[in-house]
Amino acid sequence: MSEKNKDTDLGRRKTLATLGIGAASLPFLKANAASLANPADTVTLLPNEKGPFDVVITGGRILDPETRLDITGNIGIKQGRIAAISKQPLQGTKTVDASGLIVAPGFIDLHAHGQQMLGAWMQAFDGVTTQLELESGLLPITTAYKHVGNEGRPINYGFGVAWAFARAMVMDKRTGTPDGTLSWFQQAFSYDGWQNTLPDEKQLEQILLLVEKGLAEGGLGISINAGYAPGMGRKEYYALAEMAKKYDVATYTHDRYMSVLEPQSSFEALGEQIGLAAITGAHMHVCHINSVAGRDLKAATDLLKQAQSKDINVSVESYTYGAFSTAIGADFMRGPEWLARFGGQEYSAVEFNGKALNKQSFDELQTAEPGAPIIFHFLSEETSQTDQDLLDLAVMYPGGAIASDGMPWFRPDGSVIEDDVWPAPDNAFSHPRGAGCFSRLFARWVRERGVLPLMDAIEKCTLIPAKIAESGASQLKKKGRIQVGCDADITMFDLETIQDNANFTNPRQTSSGHKHVMVNGSLIIENGNRIEGNLPGQAIRNLK
């Protein structure tokens, strides 16, 4: 070993010693560094800063998924950053007692449609400190950020560039001009000129210019909601992948087909996405592989593993339920064979406002209110071990992220609740994943079933999503980690009591077990109670 390497190794050992990690742990840490092929990518453990600190978290079990740190100790926070991690006592202005709690990075949700104030607070109780709208995205980007920024949020927020918004606007003038909200897109389902019509050369140029403008305004990536516009052109999709590569951002794709039947199957759409990643070199992210692939999850996940083994730049996410939420007028919910495309479920698998539909009520609602939000149970994991095994392929996919696909909160008439209300009104409705997706992972997969190690579960909710999206937002390189110098986005939960309480009958119940939740060094939940009016959330934006 050279003298320079000896000095570096000694410095790392001294830093590790302050954390209570022995020298024998060095090989393990090195093996779990982000990449040893490029020394710049290895984990850097910064030395502790001196106190006193603004806030000190005491006595918790501290877990960092990147360094695999697992100690009982204390954290000192200064100006919204983690400034010290130590087994020794630290002095601070405010003390947060985390005794008996897991102290983990705040969860990062890549796929959160509930970008209103109510949705943000519901997710905060689920341990989420950053919610990103990357699958559908929004447009115009500047308008979306300005709107949310003016209101403020308890947790961090950010948006991808909505290709589907651009497509609807260009392909069907009746939709009008997007206003930076998902409500606009919900209304676009009242028109049918944009889902399956190929753009001519001029229209394609207009669509691409709108997407490129969104990236220039700070959009985090290209949101390709192709499940809602399956008639997109092959050249159109290729151009979007080329643009993502050019700007070094990811595409976040809801694959164009939702079907186990061929042709035009989910398997075919996934292959198309992987092919474009291979050809262009773009990072292409697969949104909610569980609901996209459904009963074809074995073939879909096998295909993904083959692609990743060949270094094709694709990533994947899943949520922790076997039911999705969508507009009843979505293209994949139409036609005489739509139930067969999902494996042959009955109409009773569709719910609206908590009530099962039949064919007559389904057809009536689809005709009268095509934008109405429904829930469809494509798997029955609660009663079928076969379906639970299928869902496990998605949730436990190696290197896969957990992302909620949490919907906005709706009134009974299907309109989005934009108001700042708390708690959720008695008649508010949404998919329970917007309130319990992450806690459900720890309650069911970690504690009850014991099939997923705690550290791996934390990694799926923090480090993995941060790494998936960080090319579009350098801010994420300091999130999803408990390390000196990183942002103090932290959740402190009791593994014995963490629980998703929201269900399909009453989705308005917040998760329990997250005793303290901190965003940018500021507590938004303390002793299980919401700190009303505290809105420390910051915009996550592409600043390149």
Side-chain angles (χ1 to χ4, degrees), residues 38 73 84 93 96 184 194 218 245 253 321 351 353 368 374 383 420 443 472:
N38 181 354
T93 304
V96 178
W184 180 89
W194 57 274
K245 178 63 177 177
T253 302
Y321 300 80
E351 295 179 9
N353 283 339
I374 56 88
T383 57
D420 181 4

Side-chain angles (χ1 to χ4, degrees), residues 20-325:
I21 304 174
S25 298
L26 270 174
F28 181 75
L29 286 176
K30 290 179 179 177
N32 284 276
S35 171
L36 290 178
N38 181 354
D41 291 334
T42 58
V43 176
T44 300
L45 296 173
L46 299 177
N48 288 339
E49 298 176 24
K50 293 182 179 180
F53 302 95
D54 300 332
V55 183
V56 173
I57 298 170
T58 65
R61 182 183 172 189
I62 303 167
L63 287 93
D64 175 55
E66 188 164 48
T67 62
R68 313 307 277 191
L69 173 70
D70 184 350
I71 64 166
T72 298
N74 312 299
I75 297 176
I77 295 165
K78 278 186 181 181
Q79 299 179 335
R81 298 174 298 105
I82 297 172
I85 304 172
S86 177
K87 282 193 168 185
Q88 304 305 315
L90 301 173
Q91 299 300 315
T93 304
K94 179 179 177 61
T95 298
V96 178
D97 183 6
S99 301
L101 303 178
I102 303 298
V103 179
F107 303 153
I108 299 170
D109 192 351
L110 297 172
H111 189 160
H113 302 304
Q115 292 288 329
Q116 302 73 28
M117 190 73 80
L118 178 56
W121 276 114
M122 293 296 283
Q123 286 214 287
F125 277 91
D126 202 27
V128 175
T129 56
T130 298
Q131 58 167 197
L132 305 176
E133 166 60 283
L134 296 181
E135 182 241 26
S136 181
L138 293 173
L139 209 69
I141 287 295
T142 296
T143 303
Y145 275 107
K146 184 177 180 180
H147 170 70
V148 175
N150 287 342
E151 290 187 349
R153 287 293 184 269
I155 60 180
N156 304 309
Y157 57 92
F159 317 116
V161 182
W163 157 82
F165 283 42
R167 193 177 212 275
M169 174 185 172
V170 170
M171 301 295 293
D172 194 328
K173 300 301 183 183
R174 295 173 296 174
T175 62
T177 302
D179 62 1
T181 71
L182 196 64
S183 295
W184 180 89
F185 190 52
Q186 186 186 14
Q187 293 302 314
F189 287 103
S190 301
Y191 307 102
D192 59 5
W194 57 274
Q195 294 100 328
N196 288 294
T197 305
L198 286 173
D200 59 30
E201 187 174 333
K202 183 177 180 181
Q203 289 172 325
L204 179 56
E205 181 181 2
Q206 291 174 331
I207 292 169
L208 295 176
L209 282 173
L210 285 168
V211 173
E212 196 162 19
K213 184 174 186 291
L215 291 176
E217 292 176 359
L220 301 178
I222 302 176
S223 303
I224 306 178
N225 212 338
Y228 295 91
M232 70 185 299
R234 304 285 177 176
K235 294 178 182 178
E236 185 177 2
Y237 199 2
Y238 173 74
L240 292 168
E242 287 267 270
M243 188 184 297
K245 178 63 177 177
K246 174 183 175 182
Y247 285 93
D248 189 27
V249 296
T251 66
Y252 298 88
T253 302
H254 177 152
D255 281 321
R256 75 161 84 216
Y257 305 128
M258 300 274 284
S259 177
V260 299
L261 304 179
E262 293 188 307
Q264 297 188 343
S265 67
S266 301
F267 188 83
E268 177 185 334
L270 183 60
E272 176 186 34
Q273 186 179 8
I274 291 169
L276 285 175
I279 292 166
T280 65
H283 173 191
M284 304 193 75
H285 179 74
V286 182
C287 293
H288 48 39
I289 186 64
N290 53 325
S291 60
V292 167
R295 296 190 175 279
D296 225 4
L297 269 163
K298 178 64 168 62
T301 52
D302 284 349
L303 184 63
L304 275 170
K305 289 175 183 176
Q306 285 286 340
Q308 290 173 334
S309 73
K310 295 172 174 59
D311 295 326
I312 297 173
N313 197 3
V314 289
S315 54
V316 64
E317 70 180 52
S318 172
Y319 53 88
T320 52
Y321 300 80
F324 65 68
S325 184

Side-chain angles (χ1 to χ4, degrees), residues 259-261 336-345:
S259 177
V260 299
L261 304 179
E337 293 187 344
W338 83 265
L339 278 171
R341 293 201 296 268
F342 286 99
Q345 288 90 330

Side-chain angles (χ1 to χ4, degrees), residues 107 126 318-321 388 391-392 394-397 400-403 433 435-462 464-465 493 495 498-501 511 514:
F107 303 153
D126 202 27
S318 172
Y319 53 88
T320 52
Y321 300 80
Q388 180 65 70
L391 185 57
D392 283 350
V395 172
M396 297 174 63
Y397 186 89
I402 297 298
R433 66 196 178 194
C437 175
F438 293 88
S439 296
R440 183 179 178 90
L441 179 74
F442 291 91
R444 300 198 177 200
W445 275 263
V446 178
R447 185 183 67 231
E448 295 172 10
R449 298 175 60 213
V451 294
L452 186 63
L454 174 61
M455 186 71 86
D456 291 353
I458 290 173
E459 185 178 26
K460 282 181 166 290
C461 302
T462 59
I464 291 172
F493 64 88
L495 186 58
I498 189 172
Q499 188 66 53
D500 57 305
N501 299 310
S511 292
H514 294 273

